[in-house]
Amino acid sequence: MLGDPRITRVTGDTTAAVYRRTEDVGAEDHPERHRDGPVPEAYCWSNLTSGNGSRALWLLLLPFMVVNLAHWMRPTARGRGTAVRLYGVLVRLIALSLTVLLTAAACEVALDLVAWQCAGAAECVGRRSWLGFLSPGQGGWWSQPGRRLALAAIVPAALVGLLWYLSNRTWSAYESQRPLELEEPDDDAPAPPGAPEPDGAPADRPALGRPGFWYGRRLVARLRAAHTAAGFLTVATAVGGAAARYDRSAGSPAASLGLLLEGGLVACGAVVVGVVCRRGRSERRLDNRIDRAVTSFLPPAALLLLLLACVYAAWSRPGWNSSGALPGEAVFGVLVLGQGLLVVVLAAVAWSLYRRTPEPRTTLRGLGGPAVAMLACALGGVMTGGVAQRVADWLDGPATPGMGGPSLVEGPPVLLSWQASVIPVLLLLLLAPVTWLVARTARRARRLGPEVEAEYAPAHPDPARTRRIARTRATAVLTDSAPRIVGLVSGATLFLGAGAVVGSWYSGQVPGLALDDAGPFTESLAEAAQATGSWLIGVGFILFVTWGRRAYRDVSARRTIGILWDVGTFWPRAAHPFAPPCYAERAVPDLSSRMCAWTGSTRGRLVISGHSQGSVLAAAAVWQLPAAARHQVALLTYGSPIERLYGRWFPAYFGPGPLQGLHRSVHCWRNLWRATDPIGGPVRIDEGGRPEVDRGPLRDPLVYGRTVGHPLPEPVLGHSDYQADPVFAVERAALLDRLGPVLPRQTAGEAQGSSGKSSG
C-alpha cells in the first residue's frame, strides 16, 4: 500500500504517520460508500528506525542498547516485588559501569597514551609534530604533566557532553510525545503517591498496558543526569587523582587540597549511585514530573569538580615528570571485576524469580537477562580495548606496545592485552557448537526431504526443488538455538574474563611476556593468542565503524541496520539513557490514540493487522486501549515474533499470561505463520471454547512446480509477503465477519507494506 503513489497522509508527520488511499480519505463522512469492504490504513514508522544517515552512528551505542534489553528480560514474577526491584537496580548499576568504562577508555587514549606517554617521550613527540608544544624538551607552559593532562581532559569531557546532548535531543525528537490520557480501566487505578510499583498486573492488563509505560521522561531525565555526572567524575578522577598521588609522594603542601578534591569526587559519586539505584518512575499513571534537584544540579556539580581537578593538576610542579604508564590502570581491572560480580548476583536473582514462577519456554531458564548483560559488558570491553590498542599501535610505529624493546610508548593497560588474548580462545570454543548446529541442520534438511514431497505430492519430483524447500525449513529452526549460543558465549566470556583479570594482576605483564618461562610451546601459544586477539579486536572495531559509515551513505544498508533497531530499541530506556532512542514511545501512543479516537468517534470496529515487528507494536497498542475499545478490535498477525522471540526472551511482558489476557480482551485474534519463517511463529495460546488463534504452518511455496494456475515457479517466501498467500485474504475476511456488520468497517493500520520489512 505504501508503494502506491495514490496515497495521502491523514495524520502524523514526516517521522511517523498514518496513510490512506486518496479515494478513502473521507470514508467516515460517507460510510454508505464502504459497506462492501474495509477501508485500509497503513501506519509507517520506518523513519524512527532507519531515517536519516546519522542514525547509523548509533551502532557505536550498541553496548548501551544491549544492557537496556537485559533490563526487560527478567522472568515472570508474582509476589516478588523486592526481587524485581533488586533485578532492576543491578542492571542499572551494570549500565552505569559501561558509561564509566567508555569514559575511562577515552581517558586512557587522550590522557595516558597521548598526553602522558607520547608527549612525555622525546622520540614519540619527534614523530608527532603536532604534539611538540606539549614536549618537556621545549620547556613550554604546557610541558608539565599536570597541564598536559588538564588539556587532554577536553576530549573525554567533550565525549560525555556529546552523549548528554544526543540523549536529550533524541528524547525531544522521538520519545517526548505525551500519550493521550485515555479513560482508566478499573484495574489501573492510580496508586497512592510514593507507593511501590506492583509486582504484576491483572491478566488482561499487563505491564505494557499501564498508562505510563510508554512515557519514561522522568526516569530518562534522572538517569541522563546521573550518567553524565558519572562521566565527568571519571575524567576528574583521572586528572586530579594523578596530581594528588604525586603531591602525596613528594610531600607537597598541596596534598591536603588533593585529599579534599578526592573526597568531593567520592561524595558526588555516592550521590550518582544513589540516583541510579532509585528508579524514579511510575507506570500506573502518566508521570510528567522532573526531579529538578537531580537534573539541574548533579551534572553541573560534577562538571565543577572536573574544572577544579584541572585547575589543581595545572598548578606548577617543576619536579613532576611523566614516565611509563599513567598511574591508575587498576581502574580497568576493578571495573571488569565489578561487572562480573554484578552479573553473577543478577543471575542469582533471575534464577530465584524463575524458580518461583517457572515457565518452560523462558530463555535459559530465566538467565537470558544476565547472559545479555554479560554480552553488553563484553561488547563494551571489545570496543574500548580496540580503540586503545589501535591508538597505541599508531603512536608506537612498527614496535609492539607492552612487549618491551624499543617501544616509544608503554602501551595501554596490561588487562586490555589479556582481554584481547582470550578472544581467539572464545572463537575456538564456539567452533564446536557451531559445527554441531551446521551438521544438525544438514541432517534435518535430509529428513525433511521426504516430508516435503509427501506434502506436495508432485507428479514429477525435482530433487533440487525439494532440497531447497527442506533446507529453508531446517535453517528457519536455527533461530530457536540462539539462546544456547548466547548462554555459551556469555558463560565463556565470564570465565575467560575472570582469567584475564587474574592473569594481568598476578603477572603485571602482557601474556606474551608473562608466559616466557612456561616452555617454548606455551610461550608461542601465548604470543600467538596476544597477536591474533589484538588484530581481531582492532579489525572488529574498524569493521564496526566501516559498517556504520557505509550505512550513513547507503540507504539499503541503513534499512538493514534499521531491522536491528526494530528489536533493540523497542523497549524504553529504563537502564541506560545513552542507548539509542525508543521508537515505541512514539509509535505505540500513535497507534493506540488513532484506534481509540476512531472507534470513539465512529462507534465502528476495526482489524489491526501487523507483520513481524508490526505485530508486536499492534499488541502493545491494543493493550493501551480502554477495555471498551479493545472489544471492538480484531487482531491479525503474521510472521510474528511475539511468542517465539518476545515471549521467550521477555517473559514478564509477553509470556503466556499476558498473551492469554490479550486474547481474552480483544474481540478476536488470528495469527498466521510458516515453517520456512526464521522469525515468525505460533503464539501457542490454548483457550478452550474460544476460536483458535494460530493458523499454520502455511504452505510455502504455494505450489511445488509449474501448474495452470501458477505457470511460473513460485518462490519460497519465508518471512515476507504473507499478503501474497490467499489464506491472508480469507482470514482477514473471516475476522471482519466475526466483528459483525457494524459500519464503517476499517482496517486500522497495516503495519507494513507488501515488502514485508518490519520497519515499514
Side-chain angles (χ1 to χ4, degrees):
M1 177 178 173
L2 293 174
D4 191 335
R6 297 166 298 172
I7 60 171
T8 301
R9 186 174 68 197
V10 295
T11 183
D13 54 24
T14 56
T15 302
V18 172
Y19 296 88
R20 280 186 182 179
R21 293 189 174 94
T22 304
E23 61 268 22
D24 295 333
V25 170
E28 288 84 358
D29 298 328
H30 303 281
E32 69 280 357
R33 300 177 184 175
H34 302 276
R35 292 182 180 274
D36 297 329
V39 178
E41 285 187 355
Y43 176 69
C44 178
W45 74 93
S46 60
N47 284 337
L48 289 170
T49 55
S50 57
N52 60 49
S54 62
R55 290 172 210 181
L57 300 178
W58 290 350
L59 280 170
L60 300 176
L61 307 178
L62 187 60
F64 302 158
M65 183 184 76
V66 174
V67 76
N68 194 68
L69 286 177
H71 174 87
W72 301 105
M73 288 182 175
R74 68 165 176 83
T76 302
R78 297 188 180 95
R80 300 294 302 275
T82 301
V84 169
R85 286 189 288 272
L86 178 58
Y87 183 96
V89 167
L90 291 170
V91 176
R92 290 196 294 276
L93 288 176
I94 295 173
L96 181 65
S97 73
L98 287 175
T99 298
V100 175
L101 178 64
L102 174 68
T103 312
C107 292
E108 168 61 28
V109 170
L111 275 67
D112 185 15
L113 294 177
V114 176
W116 182 271
Q117 297 186 32
C118 187
E123 188 175 353
C124 186
V125 171
R127 296 187 179 184
R128 315 291 173 194
S129 58
W130 53 276
L131 290 176
F133 73 103
L134 299 177
S135 173
Q138 294 189 7
W141 192 86
W142 291 105
S143 62
Q144 293 189 16
R147 293 170 183 173
R148 300 202 304 264
L149 294 178
L151 179 62
I154 295 176
V155 175
L159 174 63
V160 175
L162 176 63
L163 291 174
W164 175 89
Y165 169 77
L166 290 176
S167 178
N168 186 65
R169 181 176 177 273
T170 53
W171 166 262
S172 301
Y174 305 112
E175 300 161 299
S176 62
Q177 305 291 328
R178 182 182 175 90
L180 289 176
E181 296 194 31
L182 307 177
E183 68 174 75
E184 293 286 349
D186 295 338
D187 55 343
D188 280 331
E197 288 295 320
D199 308 329
D204 289 349
R205 196 72 169 184
L208 270 69
R210 296 173 187 162
F213 187 90
W214 299 108
Y215 191 67
R217 179 187 179 190
R218 184 184 182 195
L219 178 60
V220 173
R222 285 175 60 90
L223 291 178
R224 181 168 59 240
H227 282 247
T228 303
F232 287 145
L233 292 176
T234 303
V235 183
T237 301
V239 175
R245 280 190 293 271
Y246 171 78
D247 287 342
R248 284 194 293 269
S249 63
S252 171
S256 57
L257 295 178
L259 289 175
L260 288 176
L261 176 63
E262 290 176 333
L265 293 174
V266 170
C268 194
V271 174
V272 168
V273 173
V275 170
V276 169
C277 290
R278 184 171 180 268
R279 186 163 187 258
R281 176 188 179 185
S282 173
E283 294 175 355
R284 284 286 185 173
R285 59 188 179 278
L286 284 174
D287 191 352
N288 199 37
R289 295 173 294 168
I290 294 294
D291 301 307
R292 300 294 178 186
V294 172
T295 58
S296 300
F297 297 107
L298 188 56
L303 183 58
L304 177 61
L305 286 172
L306 172 57
L307 294 176
L308 291 176
C310 291
V311 171
Y312 171 69
W315 199 264
S316 180
R317 297 175 178 83
W320 191 12
N321 297 309
S322 61
S323 61
L326 182 67
E329 69 173 40
V331 170
F332 286 94
V334 172
L335 278 174
V336 172
L337 184 60
Q339 288 176 342
L341 292 176
L342 286 172
V343 169
V344 170
V345 177
L346 182 68
V349 174
W351 176 247
S352 69
L353 290 173
Y354 176 80
R355 291 186 62 188
R356 181 70 175 265
T357 312
E359 293 176 347
R361 294 276 298 170
T362 299
T363 299
L364 298 176
R365 297 183 179 272
L367 298 181
V372 169
M374 189 69 247
L375 289 183
C377 296
L379 282 171
V382 168
M383 293 176 65
T384 55
V387 172
Q389 293 274 2
R390 297 283 64 77
V391 172
D393 287 341
W394 172 64
L395 292 174
D396 208 39
T400 302
M403 289 296 293
S407 295
L408 303 181
V409 296
E410 184 76 13
V414 171
L415 175 61
L416 298 184
S417 296
W418 279 86
Q419 287 179 322
S421 300
V422 303
I423 294 179
V425 180
L426 179 62
L427 294 179
L428 288 176
L429 290 176
L430 284 177
L431 186 61
V434 169
T435 303
W436 177 77
L437 282 176
V438 171
R440 190 185 68 171
T441 302
R443 290 196 302 269
R444 180 180 284 118
R446 287 195 296 270
R447 290 198 304 268
L448 288 175
E451 296 180 15
V452 169
E453 294 187 350
E455 176 184 343
Y456 288 96
H460 303 286
D462 181 356
R465 178 73 162 171
T466 300
R467 283 196 301 270
R468 183 185 177 193
I469 298 173
R471 186 169 58 249
T472 304
R473 293 184 181 182
T475 305
V477 182
L478 285 176
T479 304
D480 300 321
S481 301
R484 298 177 183 175
I485 299 298
V486 170
L488 176 63
V489 172
S490 298
T493 301
L494 179 63
F495 287 106
L496 290 175
V501 172
V502 172
S504 63
W505 281 1
Y506 179 77
S507 67
Q509 295 177 315
V510 298
L513 296 179
L515 299 176
D516 270 350
D517 299 329
F521 179 74
T522 304
E523 179 183 351
S524 61
L525 284 180
E527 292 180 355
Q530 179 182 337
T532 305
S534 179
W535 181 81
L536 287 173
I537 201 172
V539 170
F541 182 78
I542 292 173
L543 291 177
F544 204 70
V545 174
T546 303
W547 189 20
R549 185 170 177 268
R550 176 172 175 264
Y552 183 86
R553 300 180 176 182
D554 187 348
V555 175
S556 62
R558 189 159 67 244
R559 185 167 292 276
T560 301
I561 295 175
I563 297 174
L564 172 65
W565 297 142
D566 275 349
V567 178
T569 62
F570 171 78
W571 297 96
R573 294 187 278 190
H576 207 300
F578 298 155
C582 168
Y583 68 89
E585 291 206 18
R586 165 70 190 271
V588 172
D590 277 359
L591 280 172
S592 58
S593 300
R594 176 62 177 167
M595 289 190 290
C596 190
W598 190 87
T599 55
S601 62
T602 66
R603 297 185 300 279
R605 300 184 180 185
L606 57 86
V607 173
I608 179 166
S609 163
H611 169 252
S612 192
Q613 188 67 18
S615 66
V616 182
L617 280 178
V622 170
W623 267 319
Q624 285 283 315
L625 296 176
R630 290 203 301 275
H631 291 300
Q632 296 174 260
V633 173
L635 190 58
L636 176 61
T637 56
Y638 43 101
S640 173
I642 200 169
E643 194 282 335
R644 190 178 188 182
L645 172 63
Y646 284 84
R648 298 185 66 190
W649 288 92
F650 308 97
Y653 304 94
F654 287 95
L659 291 183
Q660 289 173 1
L662 178 65
H663 183 214
R664 290 194 298 268
S665 64
V666 297
H667 190 281
C668 43
W669 183 6
R670 198 65 159 157
N671 178 67
L672 312 179
W673 65 282
R674 297 177 178 137
T676 55
D677 190 340
I679 298 174
V683 295
R684 304 175 187 273
I685 295 176
D686 183 15
E687 292 281 334
R690 295 204 58 168
E692 186 179 4
V693 173
D694 289 316
R695 176 167 180 178
L698 304 182
R699 179 172 288 191
D700 184 33
L702 293 175
V703 295
Y704 183 87
R706 299 175 186 267
T707 66
V708 175
H710 299 273
L712 299 180
E714 289 293 317
V716 180
L717 297 176
H719 185 57
S720 62
D721 287 340
Y722 274 80
Q723 296 95 330
D725 195 312
V727 173
F728 179 87
V730 171
E731 291 297 337
R732 189 179 70 170
L735 288 177
L736 288 168
D737 290 339
R738 286 166 61 184
L739 279 172
V742 180
L743 295 176
R745 298 186 298 185
Q746 177 189 4
T747 301
E750 292 188 9
Q752 284 77 40
S754 61
S755 65
K757 293 180 179 178
S758 61
S759 57

